[in-house]
Amino acid sequence: MGDAEEETPKSKRREFPPDGYVCRLCSVPGHWIQVCPTKKTGKRKRKPKSDHVHVPGKDPSPEDIAEAQKWQSIPPPKCFCGLKSRLNKVKRSKAGGDNSRALGKYFFFCSKKRDDETQCRFARPADLELNKMKARAGNKAAQKQKATKEKTESKQVKKAKVELDEESKKMNTETAKESSDDSSSSSSSSDDDDKDVERKNDANDSDSSSVESSSDEED
């Protein structure tokens, strides 16, 4: 009985938070953050901190945010482990110290945790990946432009070939027509020549017959 009486207040304390406690997920008092109704749906109602004052050197400036977004748009390369690397801004360097040229620059590192003994020593500057991405985009654009040019030239060649075929057909038709006209004219002229020869032969025959008749009369 005594144990049950002691457990009841504890369970009540666990179920209901004390006065003044406000859930940080939904900003509503009356329940613990572990049993927040918005936790299951993932909808968080956080009040915006409008009274926050920007601290130079501690809070990122709009320029820093824009730069980070630019580097985050680069597809992360794979590290030596074969995993996707993670993007990080170098804030300190063990090797170069404060004089390191890598300070303030973005690098891709192995995505494994630092305490993992299998973490590889992959470290690639983000600007190198950016240059590679630009080069690939330039190559793609050049290949696309080349393909478009070749396609246009192919269309022009086909068009010229079609026009040449049409001209050759037209010339062949005209040549055939001229040859047919020449043959018809030559045949008509040959017929006229034959008629002239026949006329001459007839004239010669008539002359010879008249000569014979005259010689007979003389006799």
Side-chain angles (χ1 to χ4, degrees), residues 1-14:
M1 293 293 290
D3 295 339
E5 290 177 357
E6 290 179 359
E7 288 178 0
T8 304
K10 288 182 181 180
S11 61
K12 285 184 179 180
R13 285 198 299 270
R14 289 177 184 175

Side-chain angles (χ1 to χ4, degrees), residues 127-188:
D127 54 357
L128 180 63
E129 286 297 317
L130 180 63
N131 293 334
K132 286 183 179 180
M133 187 174 69
K134 288 181 178 179
R136 286 193 293 266
N139 292 334
K140 287 183 180 179
Q143 290 177 358
K144 187 176 181 180
Q145 186 177 3
K146 184 179 178 181
T148 305
K149 185 178 179 181
E150 290 178 352
K151 190 175 181 180
T152 305
E153 290 177 353
S154 176
K155 287 182 178 179
Q156 290 177 353
V157 169
K158 287 181 179 180
K159 185 178 179 180
K161 188 177 180 181
V162 170
E163 290 177 355
L164 185 62
D165 291 340
E166 289 179 355
E167 288 181 359
S168 62
K169 286 180 181 180
K170 187 177 180 180
M171 291 177 64
N172 292 334
T173 304
E174 291 177 354
T175 304
K177 186 177 180 181
E178 289 176 357
S179 62
S180 64
D181 293 340
D182 292 340
S183 62
S184 62
S185 62
S186 63
S187 63
S188 62

Side-chain angles (χ1 to χ4, degrees), residues 90 93 95-107 125 127:
V90 178
S93 175
D98 295 337
N99 298 324
S100 176
R101 292 181 297 176
L103 291 176
K105 294 184 179 180
Y106 285 85
F107 277 74
D127 54 357

Side-chain angles (χ1 to χ4, degrees), residues 20 24 35 39 70 85 120 140 148 151 156 160 184 194 199:
R24 288 185 295 174
V35 293
K39 190 175 182 180
K70 181 186 74 172
S85 57
C120 65
K140 287 183 180 179
T148 305
K151 190 175 181 180
Q156 290 177 353
S184 62
D194 293 340
R199 290 194 192 104

Side-chain angles (χ1 to χ4, degrees), residues 35-97:
V35 293
C36 179
T38 63
K39 190 175 182 180
K40 295 181 181 179
T41 59
K43 297 179 181 179
R44 299 183 179 184
K45 297 181 181 179
R46 290 185 178 181
K47 291 182 179 180
K49 296 180 180 181
S50 58
D51 56 344
H52 177 73
V53 180
H54 179 77
V55 180
K58 184 178 180 181
D59 296 333
S61 63
E63 291 79 9
D64 295 336
I65 295 173
E67 185 182 6
Q69 289 175 350
K70 181 186 74 172
W71 297 118
Q72 288 171 357
S73 64
I74 303 173
K78 290 185 178 181
C79 66
F80 301 139
C81 301
L83 303 174
K84 284 186 178 182
S85 57
R86 57 180 172 84
L87 183 68
N88 233 353
K89 186 177 181 180
V90 178
K91 296 180 180 179
R92 59 180 179 273
S93 175
K94 293 181 181 179

